[in-house]
Structure formats: structure tokens, C-alpha cells
């Protein structure tokens, strides 16, 4: 008996030491100042409402749009860790328009790498089987061409970290992917599509793909208010909306009516980009103002950006 | 290392690799059920129970033909259960009396079990799942070992994730390890481990006394071409007798029960005098004095028929007939392409490779929901996962065609059920709360959200002509516990032959609704689709 007790004690002591070590290791990213929120990555901190609409072939349009915004070097500093958030939540081929076109993701990755990014992580928490989403959407393959670029579907709880949302109206706390919290720049790269609960799913709605517990946003609170709460902590430094084709109805999962638009919308202001995408597209056979989408209106009212597209300096580029 | 051990290990590695590769990532040409079909009991037994020739399972005939020449080499070289038993025996077994004469008491049981299985197959009932070594092994490694490994991997990753993240190893830090969960896994584990535990009584106890697949192969190897011969150099040390894994060697060290010998060549290898050799033999009389009589075989066959008859008269047995009406649970959903129920149960060997392969973990082995004869057969469990639209793996990996191998285009039309909304549980219907998850997720656009008069939010409706039964709605429904939208077997298509596509067309089903203009769920005034507000 005595011997058993000794063993147990030793075991406990050893366990405690291991736990302590583990905690220290876990704390490394926090201590080393990697906690800078993505929001602070907005270049120069200036309030720019500049917005570009580029028309033409997907890759060239992305390149032209970023060029018109001052080039990727404005956003990506050498050695920067970049996270790209496309929509790759469904295991559908690109022509369903339920996921971001792989060419758009590939061009963004290419521009980031050329601007000197240390890594480009393409992240989403897909609704369907991770591998199937990555492959069927074509995004995994698209990323494979660029050094330091890789697409991941992330679902495991341990890959997320609890974040408090100050000033939240509904979503006071949520769990966000660690790599997003530690990134120097977050780029939203959604496909423009309809959404049966929120009207449209664009960059703001897309931020829900970076968190762990989405269910509560649907179940326990006003979804649009919660989306805006989330967007106060997940503010992309750059938004590139894939409107090469839009899912006009039947979203977010499709199948639905796909309209070819051949357009890329890029802006530092994600509210403006979303509002512009709403106004350019045709949804359920009708035209809408950005202000008619509740989460866009709420974000505008809370000062996250501007939905007033008529007052924006919009640059149109044809490639 | 002995040649037999080497080949056995290689086959075991192949076995594990094929199970692991039975997944979405597997290349199209890979037949992950290949080893399963080599089991003659599994292949011929399913054909007997289903009264059908299953072409791709005919390869098992090769094993029997080979047995004519080389004896039971399947048992010694290929069988993964045999490999597991050899491994566990190396830990469990103690030296004991091992001559054939002293260990023959139970040897005939394997033939009686085989006769019993044949008897039950007369009535189309298959108990192969509990006796086929390949079914047992695939089920154990697919439903127990694989998930447990992933669970452990995930647990380690969870602890070390921050470390990898800090080291910049995004590859590992962002890896998602999701261990699948399986019904009946504890039973599957216990059953398999009990077979291994039989090694406490004697080495390869299962193979010597119980395995009907071994018995079937033995029937083809009473006088193989390749036999053990002992030269005059034998000093009678008895080492071969003590070490024979199947106890096939006579106490005179010379004779061997051919039908028990697995040609592992161990005796040749360990003989200190090099007196034992295996060579093409003529004249040496093979002796197999096993305690078996025609009467015993007939009794066993009759007992097998009786088990089938009892099963068929059980209340829960699903006959697939109109009358008497089968007591079938409304939520018993079979995988897409599953044969009509009676054929399905007769053919399915419960290897659970489909469940292992299923990317959404929706396929689960059943307990008694489909009667005793449906034990461990796979069913779709929508609450756990939907049936993925562009996936046909379950049919592709099925060794016996109980689930038909369908092309993507055919599978799309293999409707497995129809979703039904339980309004009293639905928060949009009952509590007037905004929720459109089922509509949002439906990959077939079978759910529409409509405004009702005097109801502040849109509520979901199912169009049964478009519903494929995939169950994503039930899976994602936010309601706690039982979902507010459930898939029921109503409208399932179970074709034993012919095109699902044609049948679906004939019934007016629409599953490839892409680009079809929807009737939009505008509000009462007819101007706004869901999620949009009036202009102000």
C-alpha cells in the first residue's frame, strides 16, 4: 500500500510539472506580443473609403484592383503573416458560386507572397467535411502553387482562443482561430452570394467562418447584431469580394441562380465593399441598396465603415 | 525472420493500408474491399444467403483453388485475424500439450458452424458477420482502432498545438483531427478481443476449432500438393509438435493433419536436425481423423435453419412485404444504393467498411432497429452528419454489392428518404423565432422559407419532390436533442437493378435543381426576399 501511495504522489508531482511546462509553452505566443489583433493591421490607421471595382478576368481583375488601391505592398509588410478568409464552406465546384473562386484566392496569395509575406494562411471553418471542401472548391489546389501558402479548414476547438468583445450588443465573447488573432493582416475574400437568413453573405458575414461557436449566434441572439459585434474584433485590413459570378438566390449553399458579373470589388472598408456588392448584384431577381441588409446597416451605424456608396470615391478599372 | 511471418506482416500492413485508404482521399481505382472479398466464407456465404452470383466476390474462389495445391495458406499468410491471433498468442499462450491427438476435441466445431451458416442461408439469413475473419477484422480496425488512434492523436495535438503554433509549424498547428464516433463499438471491441483471448486455452484456438472460413478452406485441402515430410534424421525431440501454431502434428512427430496445417513452415524452420521439409508429396497418406459425423453436420445445419426461422418470425424482422406490414422504424435510413431490405440484409456482411469510409460519419452500425437479422448493418444517422451529395464511397467499398456501386450521376438520384418538419419542435414555427438553418444548408434546395399570414418570421416547408433525404437539415437543426426536421424513409428508392436516374425521372423527382429559378420566399407584400429590409 505504502509503495502505491508513493507512486501516486510522484505521479501527481510529475503531472503537475508537465502541466506547468505545458502552460508556459502555451503562453509563449501571448508573451511574445503575437497577440496584436488583426484590426490594428489596418495600414496607416487612416480612414480610407476608397473602393475599386475591377472588371475582367478574375486574376487580372484582382491584380488591377489591388494596384488601384496602392499595391499589395501597402498592406503586406515584408515578413508579415497574412490570413486570407475566403468562403470555402461548401464542397461544391466553383461554378456553383457558393465558394470563392480559386483563381481569386490564388491571385491574392501570389500578390501577398510577392509583397514579401512570410506566410499566407487561407482559413475557414467549413460547414461540411474539411477535405471535401478544400478539394471540391479548388482552393487547396490553387494555394499549392505558392510557397508559404496553404489552405486549412479548422474545426478543432483547441485551434481557437476565447476573445472578449468589448462594447458588444449581443455576442460578448467568442472563440477565434489563434492564427487569425496572431496575423499581421487579415484579408477577407468572400464570394458574393445570397443568404437565406442575412440577405447576403459577404465579407462581414464571412467572419463567422473564423470562429468556433456559431450556433449561439443563430440560436441565442439577433444574428445581424451578433455579426456586427464579431466584426468589431475581426476587421479585415483589406477586403476583396469575388463577384466574378454571384449566387443570386438559393444561398448560401446553393444550388441557385448564378449570374456572371466578371467583377472584383476591393476596399479597405469592408462595410463599403459589402454595400457595393449588394448594389451591383441582382438578388432574387431584384435590386437592393446596401442599407437594406441589416448587418450592413448596423455596421454603418456603429461606425465600422460606410455603407453610403454614393459618397465613396469609387474607382472603376477595366482589364 | 521466417518467410511466412514476413508475408503475413506484409499482408497485415496491406490490410491496414486498405482500411485507412477507404476514405474520401482514396484514388478512384483503389479497391479497398479487395482483401475482404478473398475471404471465401464472406464471398460464398453472401452469395448463398442472397441467392445471387456476385461477380466481384468470386475472387474468393482463387483462395479455394490455391488451397487444393498449397493447403490453408490463407490462414497462415493472408488472414488479418490470424495475424492478430498470432501476435496475441505470443503474449498469452503457455507451453502445453500440443499434439494433434491431444487437441482434437473441439476441432470439428468449425465444420459444424459452417454447416449452421449454410443452414441459415437456406432461409436467406446471414450470420457471417460474427464468423467471417475478414468481416470481424475490418470492423474491429475500422470502427474501434482507427477512431481510438485519431482520438489519441487529437488529444496529443490539443496539448501541443500552442507549441507548434509558436514554432511556426502551421501545418501541424492547424491540422484538424476529428475522430469519428461509432455505435456498437464497445461490442465490436469485446467480441474481437474475446476471440483473441481464446488464445489462453490454446494457440490459434479460433482457427483450430471455430473459424468456418478456415473450415471451408480445409475442405479443399485434405491432400494438398505441397506437404510436410519428416526424414530419418528426426530425433524425436518434439519441438515441432510443441510449437505448431495449429497443433496439426501427430505425437509421433511424423504425421500431420493436413486440413489443420496452415503451411506456415515453422516446423521446418525450428527443427534442430533439419529433418522437416515441405515438398511436393506423393504417397504420403494425409490423415485427418476428426471427430465428425454426417449426423452432427445435419444437426448443425438444422440448428442453423432453426435460427433463421426464429429470426424470420421475430416481430422486428423486416420482410419487405406489404402484408404483414413490417414494423420498421420511420427513421431507418439505408445508405444510397442499398438493395431492397431483404436482399440488403442477406448480402451485407457488416464489415462496416462503408461506415469507416463515410466522410460525414453518418453511417452507423445498428443494434436491433432492423430486427435481429439487421444487427450491425449500416444506417444513415442524419443527426450526426448528412449524406454528402458528391460522394459514392459506401457503394464503392461494399465487398458484396449490398450497397450498389453508383456513379456520381446515379447516386444523385438514389433518394434515401424525405425530410419532415416537426412543427412543434421548430423554433420558427412554434416560437416565431428567425431561423433558416435547414433552408440554408439544404444542398438540393428542397426547403423553402415562406411567410405566413399573422406570423412574423418565415417558416420552412419541404418539397418532397426535391428532397433527397440527405439529412443535412436534420444534422444542422439548431434545436437541442431531437431535431425539428427529421429524415424518414418515406419515398426512399431501393432498386435491385436498373437506373436510379430513370426511376427518379419517372417519379418526377428533381435533384439537380441547379440554376432552376426558385419561387422566392418574399414577404407578405411580395417584395422582399428573406434577410432584406424595406428601403428607407
Amino acid at each position: 500500500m505504502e509503495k502505491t501511495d508513493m507512486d501516486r504522489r510522484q505521479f501527481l508531482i510529475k503531472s503537475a510539472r508537465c502541466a506547468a511546462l505545458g502552460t508556459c509553452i502555451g503562453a509563449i505566443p501571448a508573451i511574445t506580443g503575437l497577440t496584436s489583433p488583426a484590426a490594428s493591421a489596418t495600414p496607416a490607421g487612416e480612414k480610407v473609403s476608397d473602393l475599386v471595382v475591377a472588371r475582367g478576368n478574375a486574376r487580372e481583375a484582382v491584380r488591377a484592383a489591388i494596384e488601384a488601391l496602392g499595391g499589395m505592398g501597402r498592406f503586406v509588410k515584408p515578413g508579415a503573416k497574412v490570413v486570407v478568409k475566403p468562403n470555402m464552406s461548401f464542397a461544391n465546384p466553383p461554378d456553383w458560386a457558393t465558394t470563392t473562386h480559386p483563381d481569386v484566392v490564388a491571385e491574392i496569395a501570389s500578390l501577398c507572397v510577392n509583397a514579401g509575406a512570410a506566410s499566407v494562411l487561407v482559413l475557414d471553418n467549413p460547414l461540411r467535411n474539411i477535405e471535401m471542401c478544400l478539394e471540391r472548391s479548388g482552393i487547396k489546389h490553387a494555394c499549392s502553387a505558392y510557397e508559404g501558402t496553404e489552405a486549412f479548414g479548422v474545426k478543432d476547438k483547441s485551434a481557437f482562443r476565447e476573445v472578449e468583445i468589448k462594447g458588444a450588443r449581443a455576442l460578448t465573447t467568442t472563440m477565434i482561430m489563434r492564427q487569425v488573432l496572431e496575423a499581421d493582416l487579415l484579408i477577407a475574400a468572400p464570394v458574393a452570394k445570397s443568404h437565406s437568413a442575412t440577405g447576403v453573405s459577404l465579407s462581414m458575414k464571412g467572419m463567422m467562418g473564423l470562429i468556433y461557436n456559431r450556433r449561439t449566434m443563430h440560436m441565442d441572439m439577433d444574428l445581424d447584431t451578433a455579426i456586427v459585434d464579431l466584426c468589431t474584433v475581426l476587421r479585415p485590413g483589406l477586403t476583396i469580394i469575388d463577384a466574378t459570378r454571384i449566387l443570386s438566390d438559393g444561398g448560401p449553399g446553393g444550388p441557385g441562380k448564378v449570374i456572371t458579373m466578371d467583377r472584383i470589388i476591393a476596399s479597405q472598408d469592408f462595410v463599403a465593399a459589402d454595400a457595393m456588392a449588394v448594389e451591383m448584384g441582382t438578388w432574387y431577381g431584384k435590386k437592393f441598396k446596401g442599407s437594406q441588409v441589416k448587418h450592413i446597416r448596423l455596421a454603418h451605424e456603429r461606425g465600422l465603415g460606410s455603407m453610403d456608396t454614393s459618397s465613396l470615391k469609387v474607382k472603376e478599372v477595366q482589364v | 525472420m521466417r518467410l511466412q511471418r514476413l508475408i503475413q506482416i506484409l499482408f497485415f500492413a496491406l490490410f491496414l493500408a486498405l482500411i485507412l485508404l477507404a476514405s474520401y482521399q482514396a484514388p478512384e481505382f483503389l479497391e479497398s474491399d479487395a482483401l475482404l472479398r478473398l475471404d471465401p466464407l464472406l464471398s460464398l456465404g453472401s452469395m448463398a444467403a442472397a441467392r445471387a452470383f456476385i461477380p466481384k466476390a468470386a475472387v474468393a474462389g482463387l483462395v479455394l483453388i490455391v488451397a487444393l495445391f498449397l493447403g490453408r495458406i490463407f490462414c497462415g499468410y493472408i488472414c488479418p485475424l490470424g495475424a492478430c491471433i498470432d501476435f496475441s498468442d505470443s503474449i498469452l499462450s503457455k507451453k502445453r500439450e500440443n499434439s494433434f491427438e491431444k487437441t482434437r476435441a473441439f476441432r470439428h466445431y468449425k465444420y459444424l458452424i459452417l454447416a449452421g451458416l449454410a443452414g441459415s442461408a437456406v432461409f436467406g439469413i446471414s450470420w457471417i458477420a460474427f464468423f467471417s475473419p475478414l468481416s470481424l477484422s475490418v470492423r474491429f480496425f475500422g470502427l474501434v482502432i482507427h477512431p481510438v488512434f485519431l482520438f489519441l492523436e487529437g488529444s496529443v495535438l490539443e496539448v501541443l498545438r500552442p507549441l507548434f503554433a509558436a514554432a511556426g509549424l502551421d501545418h501541424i498547428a492547424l491540422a484538424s483531427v476529428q475522430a469519428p464516433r461509432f455505435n456498437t463499438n464497445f461490442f465490436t471491441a469485446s467480441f474481437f478481443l474475446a476471440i483473441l483471448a481464446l488464445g489462453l486455452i490454446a494457440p490459434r484456438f479460433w482457427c483450430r476449432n471455430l473459424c468456418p472460413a478456415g473450415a471451408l478452406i480445409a475442405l479443399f485441402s485434405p491432400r494438398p500438393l505441397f506437404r510436410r515430410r519428416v526424414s530419418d534424421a528426426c530425433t524425436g525431440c518434439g519441438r515441432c509438435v510443441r510449437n505448431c501454431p495449429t497443433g496439426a502434428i501427430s505425437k509421433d512427430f511424423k504425421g500431420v493433419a493436413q486440413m489443420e496445417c496452415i503451411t506456415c513452415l515453422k516446423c521446418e524452420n525450428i527443427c534442430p536436425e533439419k529433418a522437416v521439409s515441405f515438398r511436393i508429396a506423393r504417397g504420403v497418406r494425409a490423415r485427418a481423423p476428426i471427430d465428425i459425423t454426417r449426423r452432427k453436420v445435419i444437426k448443425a445445419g438444422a440448428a442453423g435453419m432453426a435460427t433463421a426461422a426464429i429470426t424470420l418470425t421475430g416481430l422486428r424482422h423486416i420482410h419487405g412485404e406489404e402484408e404483414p406490414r413490417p414494423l420498421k422504424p420511420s427513421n431507418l435510413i439505408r445508405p444510397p444504393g442499398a438493395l431492397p431490405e431483404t436482399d440488403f440484409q442477406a448480402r451485407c456482411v457488416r464489415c462496416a467498411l462503408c461506415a469507416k469510409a463515410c466522410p460525414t460519419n453518418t453511417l452507423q452500425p445498428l443494434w436491433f432497429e432492423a430486427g435481429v437479422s439487421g444487427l450491425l448493418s449500416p444506417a444513415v444517422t442524419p443527426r450526426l452528419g448528412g449524406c454528402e451529395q458528391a460522394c459514392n464511397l459506401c457503394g464503392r467499398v461494399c465487398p458484396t454489392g449490398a450497397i450498389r456501386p453508383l456513379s456520381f450521376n446515379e447516386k444523385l438520384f438514389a433518394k434515401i428518404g424525405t425530410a419532415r418538419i416537426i412543427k412543434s419542435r421548430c423554433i420558427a414555427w412554434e416560437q416565431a423565432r428567425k431561423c433558416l438553418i435547414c433552408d440554408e444548408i439544404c444542398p438540393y434546395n428542397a426547403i423553402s422559407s415562406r411567410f405566413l399570414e399573422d406570423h412574423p418570421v418565415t417558416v420552412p416547408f419541404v418539397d418532397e419532390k426535391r428532397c433527397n433525404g440527405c439529412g443535412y437539415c436534420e444534422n444542422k437543426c439548431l434545436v437541442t436533442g431531437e431535431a425539428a426536421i427529421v429524415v424518414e424513409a418515406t419515398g426512399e428508392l431501393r432498386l435491385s437493378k436498373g437506373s436510379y436516374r430513370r426511376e427518379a425521372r419517372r417519379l418526377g423527382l428533381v435533384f439537380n435543381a441547379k440554376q432552376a429559378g426558385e419561387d422566392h420566399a418574399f414577404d407578405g407584400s411580395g417584395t422582399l426576399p428573406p434577410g432584406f429590409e424595406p428601403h428607407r
Side-chain angles (χ1 to χ4, degrees), chain A residues 215 219 249 255 292 297, chain B residues 433 445 478 520 533 536:
Chain A
R215 187 170 175 271
M219 197 64 183
D249 61 31
Q292 287 180 269
R297 176 173 58 80
Chain B
R433 290 170 66 186
N445 264 354
L478 295 177
H520 299 124
E533 297 179 325
R536 47 181 160 179

Side-chain angles (χ1 to χ4, degrees), chain A residues 63-252:
Chain A
R63 214 175 309 144
I66 300 302
E67 196 56 44
L69 279 183
M72 196 56 104
R74 221 186 117 196
F75 305 96
V76 178
K77 300 295 165 223
K81 290 198 262 181
V82 180
V83 167
V84 178
K85 164 62 181 74
N87 191 319
M88 48 185 190
S89 220
F90 295 91
N92 298 331
D95 61 333
W96 280 45
T98 53
T99 49
T100 306
H101 200 287
D103 285 351
V104 172
V105 179
E107 188 57 37
I108 293 171
S110 155
L111 291 171
C112 290
V113 170
N114 289 337
S119 69
V120 182
L121 294 175
V122 179
L123 303 178
D124 198 1
N125 176 354
L127 280 167
R128 304 278 193 88
N129 178 287
I130 291 173
E131 274 306 309
M132 288 186 139
C133 289
L134 289 177
E135 278 181 33
R136 295 256 160 78
S137 66
I139 290 174
K140 185 181 186 177
H141 181 73
C143 293
S144 63
Y146 304 97
E147 187 82 15
T149 302
E150 192 149 11
F152 295 95
V154 184
K155 279 181 191 274
D156 286 11
K157 194 176 181 183
S158 58
F160 296 79
R161 201 174 72 206
E162 187 88 37
V163 170
E164 213 172 294
I165 303 178
K166 292 196 185 70
R169 311 261 162 99
L171 187 71
T172 52
T173 172
T174 192
M175 294 186 74
I176 298 176
M177 279 177 210
R178 291 168 188 274
Q179 269 72 8
V180 174
L181 295 170
E182 290 155 14
D184 300 307
L185 173 67
L186 172 63
I187 300 178
V191 63
K193 62 178 176 178
S194 60
H195 192 286
S196 53
T198 55
V200 288
S201 175
L202 300 162
S203 67
M204 295 175 63
K205 171 75 177 68
M207 291 302 119
M208 286 176 75
L210 296 175
I211 67 169
Y212 177 71
N213 39 354
R214 288 181 288 227
R215 187 170 175 271
T216 183
M217 295 175 69
H218 285 278
M219 197 64 183
D220 308 326
M221 49 192 81
D222 177 65
L223 181 56
D224 295 288
T225 306
I227 289 170
V228 179
D229 287 338
L230 181 62
C231 288
T232 61
V233 286
L234 285 175
R235 282 175 85 169
L238 176 62
T239 296
I240 302 165
I241 297 179
D242 166 20
T244 54
R245 72 275 180 258
I246 67 167
L247 181 65
S248 165
D249 61 31

Side-chain angles (χ1 to χ4, degrees), chain B residues 334-335 338-348 377-378 402-403 494:
Chain B
R334 292 302 190 184
L339 296 176
E341 189 66 19
T342 313
D343 280 348
F344 174 74
Q345 290 197 9
R347 276 207 199 193
C348 173
S377 62
I403 308 170
R494 304 280 288 270

